[in-house]
Amino acid sequence: RPITFGNNTKWLVTQSAGLTTGFTFFNGAAASYVAVPVNISLNRKLTNNLYAFAGVTAAPVYGSFSHAFIQGSAGKYGNSYMQTVNPGVYGRAELGLRYVNDDGSFSISGSIGVERTSSYGGYPVYPYAGSNRR
């Protein structure tokens, strides 16, 4: 439910939370993740159909590499980025515009943002070497 500031309905604060999961294939290898994003946004009504927004998001993330696809021993070299379990926190701040049609059944938005993660943003997974491994 949006939070408005007094009788002024042009400004409102919204919050959301969710659960997201995924599975990534890359170059013969695989990785999976689970994240719980939490967002808070400040929205300003510009016209009947156009809104400006600014928001921040934080999401704890748990990523895991598939042992069967990793070349060599994961984490073999101490503090390696190839660890089998890679928990972290993802954060994002953004500004944008949203268009909503008159009956509210369609919207489109665009935004620009900056993000930061305490773990690696992508999963640098290499293919399993198979019998060539020594």
Side-chain angles (χ1 to χ4, degrees), residues 48-51 98-109:
N48 285 340
N49 301 93
L50 193 61
Y51 297 82
R98 177 178 298 113
Y99 169 82
V100 181
N101 68 347
D102 289 330
D103 63 359
S105 62
F106 172 80
S107 71
I108 188 167
S109 64

Side-chain angles (χ1 to χ4, degrees), residues 30-51:
S32 60
Y33 67 90
V34 175
V36 181
V38 177
N39 174 274
I40 187 164
S41 296
L42 178 63
N43 301 272
R44 167 83 171 149
K45 186 174 184 177
L46 302 175
T47 67
N48 285 340
N49 301 93
L50 193 61
Y51 297 82

